[in-house]
Amino acid sequence: MEKARISCQSREAVGTMADIQLDANLSAKQVDDIVAFLHSLNGEVPKIEKPALPPSGPETWKYIEEVY
């Protein structure tokens, strides 16, 4: 029962994302294929550490918000 609920939620999420992000209406088969692909992914998410940036100095470029 739990797996069926997750699959239903996954199908709804895929359909909603396609509609909002791509302005696309996917067929039921397309949604099922995407959900099957997503469920096939496995493994551990690698830990990515952000690099330490050097301190800013007088030669550091500044972000300028106004553009012409």
Side-chain angles (χ1 to χ4, degrees):
M1 169 106 176
E2 182 68 22
K3 191 168 188 166
R5 186 172 66 83
I6 291 172
S7 181
C8 181
Q9 289 174 341
S10 299
R11 294 188 79 232
E12 183 179 353
V14 167
T16 301
M17 290 190 318
D19 181 38
I20 292 172
Q21 296 176 357
L22 305 173
D23 195 26
N25 292 317
L26 301 179
S27 69
K29 174 150 179 27
Q30 289 172 314
V31 171
D32 289 341
D33 289 346
I34 293 170
V35 170
F37 168 73
L38 293 173
H39 284 284
S40 74
L41 301 174
N42 58 26
E44 295 181 21
V45 177
K47 182 178 180 183
I48 300 174
E49 295 184 27
K50 295 180 181 177
L53 299 176
S56 297
E59 299 296 319
T60 305
W61 285 45
K62 305 292 183 205
Y63 174 76
I64 300 173
E65 193 168 323
E66 292 182 24
V67 179
Y68 299 89

